[in-house]
Amino acid sequence: MLLGALLGYSFAWSGSLWTSITVHFLNNALVLIMSYLLNTGTLPKSLEKAGIVDDKVSLVWVVPAALLITGGLFLLYRMKKPIRLEN
């Protein structure tokens, strides 16, 4: 749901569908690369549990991620272009 909101706002504020496509591609590429590196043994399996303390996600990971996402959305909002709807 959050990724959908991020993609929607990136489209609305940038005025370009390519912004949302790029964000979606980067998200999928990151998941694919991390999965590959974990399965080939390049990265340790313990990395899958990084940021998890007592089966709960640690704020050490949540806060920086939220700040990065919020900062990116703020930059998009500041650079927003109006969407032109043609009849």
Side-chain angles (χ1 to χ4, degrees), residues 16-79:
S16 172
L17 188 58
W18 284 108
T19 305
S20 296
I21 291 170
T22 302
V23 171
H24 193 274
F25 172 80
L26 291 174
N27 177 68
N28 288 350
L30 180 63
V31 171
L32 184 67
I33 291 167
M34 291 299 291
S35 177
Y36 174 78
L37 293 176
L38 285 169
N39 288 327
T40 59
T42 305
L43 294 175
K45 288 283 186 183
S46 61
L47 190 61
E48 290 179 335
K49 297 280 186 182
I52 298 176
V53 179
D54 298 328
D55 292 330
K56 295 181 182 174
V57 176
S58 170
L59 289 179
V60 172
W61 292 91
V62 173
V63 172
L67 289 173
L68 283 171
I69 291 169
T70 303
L73 284 174
F74 178 74
L75 288 174
L76 278 174
Y77 179 76
R78 295 280 301 196
M79 299 183 318

